Amino acid sequence: MRDLDAYREEGRNSPRDPEQMRDHPYDFVSLPDLPKKVTAPGHDVYPQHLYSGTLVLCYRTETPLHVGSGAFESSLECGLSGPDQPVRGIVRREGLPVFPGSSWKGAVRARYEAVTRSRLALAKDFYKLKSDKTPQALKSQDRPNEYEVRIGDPRLKSLRAVMVKEKAHLRTLSPAESLFGAMGYRGRVHPADGIITGPPAGRPLQVAPMESPSPHRLAQPGAASSQGRIIAIQAVEGRKFYYDGDLVTDRKRDNGPLVFEFVDSVPKGSEVRLEVHLEAVSLAELGALLLCSGQGGEVGIVRFGGFKSVGLGKVELMSAEARLHTGRNTRSWKPSAAPLVNLAEAVRVAHQSLIDRVPLAELRAITTLRRP
């Protein structure tokens, strides 16, 4: 998390200032200097001590959920009441909303990477930054219209995702790469699309427009400098997660009129049932996966989908059921009865061998802190 004293010493706005929290509703889980390394199992065997099968997760939406289809759609065609107007659509199958497994996987992997000292699936080191988004202290005298932001944090080199080219590389993967996959290695977590039950959305939902954080805000205090069109960042804060807070329905930009968007959504109080197929996972991996899915609330508040920064996508994990077999039983046409897996014991084992308590505490503190 950010060092508030360092911000004050550098003359930067405090991230805990109410106005800053409203405009920039996020903080950062710190990055490790080096990734933890584990040995990933090959896909040609099913070791007797590893579990395969299905994990069934049931969530309840605590705020409306929006998993975008990527297109503007007609509100009437989406079954929404009121005048017909363009809305940001959600993913549907045969006219009914569904929760894509890929959306669940991306959100859970981000948490898994953060709390297990894993490499980052996404780690950019080059951005472009418009002049009007550049702070005065970093602007050059020739005033270009656009700057190049280059990140030179040495940690990102060791945390950049690797490619598996031969079997020996399976001994060098980080926990998240081992479980969710890496270039050249298929992951062992395969979520199906979630089934949503609940009332229809009714009217389109009005929300404040999203705006991606400017890349210079990744820099730790005193770790950014500029020369001409180049802004160099020597150390980044970490991985971004959003605060909690009520739905933001509109926003002012540059002292202009209020701006907002209309979106289709899954209403609050809906149930999302998701089946996740697991392949040869250890008890510790199962426990860490459950924890990052929301089990026990240790990672704080879990959000899925879009518009998380303005309050959408908050869910609560209501139940988790494991239907798992060990070893070759998983490949039999008539597997034996599934062994009883103690999910609480799996989480305990994960704490012993996989979970790093410092980023876990940071993640919980960030996601449960309410913005003004």
Side-chain angles (χ1 to χ4, degrees):
M1 295 177 66
R2 291 179 284 200
D3 183 346
L4 302 185
D5 291 335
Y7 274 74
R8 285 190 287 268
E9 291 170 3
E10 290 292 329
R12 291 178 61 178
N13 293 328
S14 171
R16 292 293 186 269
D17 179 87
E19 184 177 349
Q20 290 293 312
M21 291 182 71
R22 285 191 294 268
D23 292 340
H24 311 288
Y26 52 82
D27 202 342
F28 300 90
V29 172
S30 55
L31 298 177
D33 293 329
L34 295 171
K36 182 182 180 68
K37 294 181 181 179
V38 297
T39 298
H43 294 294
D44 55 338
V45 293
Y46 286 84
Q48 191 60 36
H49 67 288
L50 299 182
Y51 295 88
S52 299
T54 303
L55 182 65
V56 182
L57 304 173
C58 290
Y59 292 94
R60 182 179 63 202
T61 57
E62 298 296 301
T63 65
L65 169 68
H66 173 86
V67 181
S69 64
F72 281 96
E73 301 176 19
S74 162
S75 60
L76 291 184
E77 290 179 352
C78 292
L80 302 174
S81 60
D84 195 16
Q85 59 187 323
V87 297
R88 288 189 178 272
I90 59 175
V91 179
R92 293 176 179 270
R93 300 283 187 272
E94 298 182 352
L96 298 176
V98 297
F99 179 55
S102 57
S103 184
W104 175 89
K105 187 174 182 180
V108 173
R109 177 169 183 158
R111 287 164 173 75
Y112 199 99
E113 288 177 354
V115 304
T116 60
R117 286 175 43 211
S118 291
R119 295 189 182 94
L120 308 177
L122 300 174
K124 290 179 63 177
D125 55 12
F126 177 83
Y127 297 85
K128 291 186 177 181
L129 180 62
K130 295 292 186 182
S131 179
D132 60 347
K133 297 293 184 181
T134 305
Q136 191 65 34
L138 293 177
K139 288 186 176 181
S140 65
Q141 294 182 351
D142 55 354
R143 304 286 179 174
N145 292 326
E146 189 174 70
Y147 291 84
E148 296 179 5
V149 179
R150 298 178 182 176
I151 297 178
D153 191 326
R155 293 175 299 175
L156 291 188
K157 184 176 181 181
S158 64
L159 294 175
R160 186 165 286 113
V162 300
M163 176 177 288
V164 176
K165 296 182 179 179
E166 54 188 57
K167 198 167 185 177
H169 293 161
L170 296 180
R171 296 193 293 270
T172 65
L173 294 182
S174 67
E177 291 170 312
S178 171
L179 186 62
F180 290 92
M183 290 293 292
Y185 178 74
R186 181 170 59 88
R188 294 173 286 126
V189 176
H190 314 290
D193 289 347
I195 298 173
I196 298 175
T197 56
R203 298 183 67 86
L205 189 66
Q206 178 181 319
V207 297
M210 296 192 335
E211 185 171 333
S212 298
S214 295
H216 73 272
R217 294 188 175 275
L218 291 170
Q220 293 180 4
S225 58
S226 61
Q227 184 176 2
R229 296 180 64 252
I230 306 299
I231 295 176
I233 295 177
Q234 293 80 37
V236 298
E237 289 281 20
R239 176 188 282 281
K240 172 174 62 66
F241 289 94
Y242 290 107
Y243 301 139
D244 189 24
D246 297 328
L247 177 64
V248 181
T249 59
D250 50 45
R251 177 172 290 157
K252 272 194 174 183
R253 284 181 175 170
D254 300 326
N255 297 318
L258 293 175
V259 292
F260 51 85
E261 295 186 69
F262 288 110
V263 303
D264 193 2
S265 64
V266 174
K268 173 183 176 180
S270 300
E271 180 181 292
V272 181
R273 184 179 183 276
L274 187 83
E275 291 192 0
V276 184
H277 302 283
L278 305 179
E279 180 183 356
V281 302
S282 69
L283 192 62
E285 289 175 324
L286 173 62
L289 183 65
L290 281 166
L291 184 144
C292 294
S293 301
Q295 180 87 346
E298 291 189 70
V299 295
I301 291 172
V302 176
R303 293 182 185 272
F304 296 130
F307 294 93
K308 291 187 285 289
S309 61
V310 296
L312 294 191
K314 180 178 177 179
V315 300
E316 181 181 357
L317 180 62
M318 304 302 295
S319 66
E321 177 186 349
R323 304 169 182 171
L324 303 173
H325 298 270
T326 56
R328 293 185 178 181
N329 281 332
T330 187
R331 303 301 296 169
S332 171
W333 70 273
K334 189 178 180 182
S336 59
L340 182 63
V341 180
N342 188 321
L343 300 185
E345 175 66 10
V347 173
R348 187 189 69 81
V349 172
H351 275 291
Q352 290 180 332
S353 58
L354 274 182
I355 302 298
D356 189 322
R357 62 181 179 85
V358 173
L360 177 61
E362 292 178 346
L363 177 59
R364 178 178 173 79
I366 292 168
T367 59
T368 57
L369 180 63
R370 287 187 64 84
R371 53 174 165 71

